[in-house]
């Protein structure tokens, strides 16, 4: 019986597969990489070859240029590639468009690397698909019981209500440019907002990519000052960093709204000067994390990064073997 560490093991560069000679989401350039999704802390440029979903490869090309890797291999969900006797396939992770879990099989052992994931519905990406496995390697960004995210529709309703209350003010929605911004736009559409939504220029290419992959964002337009407008009563979606930038001063007495799972921590909202905190996350909350582990019931749980202690304790109380890998280099996209 082989040990899991013989198939995947933590290294300074990331999770490494010795028999297959590849890494999963390496934090520095390597010869062969399997990439779970397009966020910059998981998808870096400079690898010799990259295997990822077609959507993730397209995202990497938009962010880094067409020469982001020496070779690229598109692997649609469910397709199996065999490299040096190791089987690799990708399953939906529900995080952002094209996000995947890396399913690695060798000599009867199955290990699943979750990447970043969530379990709730997202109109912009394929839902998380549970994969039976011997070892489930999970994130734990919100791995504490205090993090229980509310219903998305209720958070979006706060924006609509605020606009009705303050029609003379611009509503600035800070959302990460990849995944969160497009999801928030779609949720606004589902809530009945049919008017044009204005966007920061940093989001243009990713918005176009999402639309090219069939995600209907409705009418969107650049939030430029050339029109002479102050955008009173309008919604503007921008990267969180732009909310404190000179760029935001062009708008009419803006209401700052930050879309993040961390907005459940009131001190963080106050530190950022956020007037309208919106708890909308692209990561699994505590209930989603623990429900996933209970559903899969793997032989072992490995925790890559995040609030490892809480999830370790949950596993201990249930007799679930678990260990923390404490991988470094994976920043929190919820913060930016």
């Amino acid at each position: 019986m082989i040990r899991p560490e013989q198939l995947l093991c933590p290294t300074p560069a990331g999770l490494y597969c010795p028999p297959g000679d590849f890494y999963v989401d390496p934090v520095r350039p390597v010869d062969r990489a399997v990439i779970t999704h397009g966020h910059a802390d998981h998808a870096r440029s400079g690898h010799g070859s990259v295997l990822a979903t077609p959507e993730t490869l397209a995202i990497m090309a938009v962010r880094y240029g067409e020469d982001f890797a020496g070779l690229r291999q598109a692997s649609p969900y469910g397709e199996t590639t065999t490299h040096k006797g190791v089987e690799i396939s990708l399953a939906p992770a529900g995080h952002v468009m094209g996000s995947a879990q890396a399913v690695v099989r060798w000599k009867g052992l199955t290990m699943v690397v979750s990447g970043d994931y969530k379990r709730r519905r997202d109109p912009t990406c394929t839902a998380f698909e549970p994969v039976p496995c011997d070892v489930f390697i999970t994130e734990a960004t919100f791995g504490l019981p205090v993090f229980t995210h509310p219903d998305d529709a209720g958070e979006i309703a706060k924006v609509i209500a605020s606009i009705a209350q303050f029609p003379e003010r611009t509503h600035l929605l800070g959302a990460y440019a990849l995944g969160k911004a497009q999801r928030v736009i779609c949720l606004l559409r589902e809530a009945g907002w049919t008017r044009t939504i204005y966007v920061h220029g940093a989001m243009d290419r990713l918005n176009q990519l999402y639309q090219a992959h069939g995600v209907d964002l409705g009418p969107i337009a650049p939030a430029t000052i050339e029109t002479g407008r102050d955008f009173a009563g309008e919604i503007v979606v921008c990267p969180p960093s732009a909310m404190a930038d000179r760029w935001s001063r062009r708008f009419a007495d803006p209401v700052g709204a930050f879309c993040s799972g961390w907005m459940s921590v009131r001190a963080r909202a106050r530190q950022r000067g956020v007037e309208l905190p919106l708890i909308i996350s692209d990561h699994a909350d505590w209930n989603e994390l623990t429900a996933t582990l209970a559903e899969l019931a793997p032989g072992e749980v490995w925790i890559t990064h995040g609030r490892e202690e809480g999830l370790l304790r949950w596993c201990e109380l249930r007799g679930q073997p678990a260990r923390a890998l404490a991988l470094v280099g994976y920043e929190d996209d919820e913060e930016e």
Side-chain angles (χ1 to χ4, degrees):
M1 182 68 178
I2 65 171
R3 293 179 292 107
E5 294 83 357
Q6 294 176 268
L7 179 54
L8 286 173
C9 59
T11 74
L15 282 173
Y16 177 61
C17 176
D21 190 23
F22 63 84
Y23 291 82
V24 179
D25 290 349
V27 297
R28 59 182 184 229
V30 298
D31 288 339
R32 283 173 289 274
V34 175
I35 303 298
T36 61
H37 66 281
H39 282 145
D41 57 334
H42 291 255
R44 291 170 166 86
S45 63
H47 302 308
S49 67
V50 168
L51 182 148
T53 63
E55 296 86 353
T56 294
L57 293 175
I59 289 167
M60 293 180 73
V62 165
R63 305 193 94 178
Y64 301 126
E66 291 293 337
D67 59 348
F68 68 85
L71 297 171
R72 64 181 84 174
Q73 180 179 352
S75 180
Y77 295 135
E79 181 177 284
T80 299
T81 297
T82 302
H83 182 72
K84 295 188 175 183
V86 178
E87 295 182 358
I88 309 158
S89 62
L90 301 176
H95 180 55
V96 297
M97 185 177 73
S99 61
Q101 305 166 77
V103 183
V104 183
R105 294 186 173 96
W106 182 60
K107 294 186 176 181
L109 180 69
T110 300
M111 300 181 73
V112 174
V113 184
S114 74
D116 291 337
Y117 68 102
K118 66 177 180 294
R119 300 300 303 267
R120 64 186 59 203
R121 174 186 169 275
D122 183 336
T124 69
C125 66
T126 305
F128 179 95
E129 180 181 297
V131 179
C133 55
D134 300 294
V135 179
F136 185 62
I137 305 175
T138 180
E139 63 139 317
T141 301
F142 292 106
L144 290 173
V146 68
F147 295 117
T148 302
H149 301 150
D151 179 66
D152 296 338
E155 297 302 286
I156 293 296
K158 294 178 182 178
V159 179
I160 306 300
S162 182
I163 294 171
Q165 185 177 2
F166 304 110
E168 74 285 0
R169 303 177 67 186
T170 305
H171 281 64
L172 274 184
L173 273 57
Y176 193 79
L178 170 57
K180 181 73 66 65
Q182 295 78 25
R183 178 181 169 205
V184 166
I185 291 172
C186 286
L187 291 173
L188 284 164
R189 300 303 184 199
E190 291 182 351
W193 189 266
T194 59
R195 288 158 49 184
T196 298
I197 293 175
Y198 297 90
V199 296
H200 188 281
M203 298 177 170
D204 286 346
R205 296 185 67 194
L206 287 170
N207 286 342
Q208 291 170 16
L209 182 64
Y210 265 69
Q211 289 172 312
H213 281 81
V215 178
D216 184 9
L217 301 178
I220 56 176
T224 57
I225 59 174
E226 283 75 11
T227 59
R229 301 186 55 196
D230 61 4
F231 299 93
E234 304 293 356
I235 294 175
V236 176
V237 181
C238 65
S241 58
M243 296 174 66
D245 189 72
R246 289 177 56 190
W247 174 87
S248 66
R249 299 176 191 171
R250 69 187 65 185
F251 303 110
D253 189 17
V255 175
F258 185 25
C259 306
S260 170
W262 294 113
M263 288 298 96
S264 61
V265 181
R266 293 182 180 179
R268 292 213 181 193
R270 287 196 301 269
Q271 288 167 2
R272 283 182 168 268
V274 176
E275 183 174 348
L276 182 61
L278 300 174
I279 308 171
I280 300 176
S281 175
D282 284 331
H283 292 264
D285 68 3
W286 173 257
N287 290 337
E288 293 171 58
L289 289 168
T290 56
T292 300
L293 298 186
E295 178 180 6
L296 292 173
E300 290 186 36
V301 171
W302 292 4
I303 306 167
T304 56
H305 62 284
R307 321 280 90 70
E308 300 103 327
E309 298 83 359
L311 213 51
L312 279 173
R313 179 60 175 162
W314 183 91
C315 290
E316 179 186 351
L317 292 173
R318 285 153 184 79
Q320 168 68 66
R323 58 178 287 201
L325 305 183
L327 297 182
V328 298
Y330 300 100
E331 291 78 23
D332 183 11
D333 55 86
E334 292 278 323
E335 285 283 22
E336 170 52 41

